[in-house]
Amino acid sequence: MASSTDTAVAHIVESFDALDDISDPIERYQASRQAGAAVDGRLRSVRQRIALELKTEGKTWREIGQIMDGVTAQRAEQISRGR
């Protein structure tokens, strides 16, 4: 049985498959750049909320950094500010 994480990731990946439906390669490239920018912004926001939630739960910036792929405490705090 797929976890909620697996299901969410599968939905995101499927949405990228729609780019292949664009026949013109120039338009497909432009759409891929627009999608990339939009995804980057949304992921930044998601990660910011996660960092803030973990901080609210009492975790230190160091612990949060370790959870977030081993980034420094300073980087974890930056992420919490949307940077």
Side-chain angles (χ1 to χ4, degrees), residues 8-9 11 15 24-25 27 36 42 44-45 51 55 68 74 77-79:
V9 170
H11 287 305
S15 67
D24 182 89
E27 287 181 31
R42 294 295 298 266
R44 183 177 296 115
S45 178
K55 188 63 174 167
M68 295 183 146
Q74 293 82 3
E77 187 176 4
Q78 287 175 341
I79 292 169

Side-chain angles (χ1 to χ4, degrees), residues 5-80:
T5 300
D6 293 338
T7 302
V9 170
H11 287 305
I12 293 165
V13 171
E14 286 172 12
S15 67
F16 280 103
D17 291 342
L19 291 171
D20 289 329
D21 294 338
I22 301 171
S23 61
D24 182 89
I26 296 169
E27 287 181 31
R28 190 167 55 246
Y29 175 77
Q30 292 170 341
S32 74
R33 297 282 295 164
Q34 291 173 351
V39 168
D40 286 346
R42 294 295 298 266
L43 287 175
R44 183 177 296 115
S45 178
V46 168
R47 290 176 183 141
Q48 178 183 15
R49 290 192 307 272
I50 291 166
L52 292 170
E53 183 178 344
L54 291 169
K55 188 63 174 167
T56 300
E57 291 176 0
K59 300 220 180 307
T60 65
W61 289 123
R62 181 179 175 164
E63 291 170 324
I64 295 167
Q66 290 171 343
I67 291 166
M68 295 183 146
D69 298 322
V71 301
T72 65
Q74 293 82 3
R75 179 67 187 124
E77 187 176 4
Q78 287 175 341
I79 292 169
S80 78

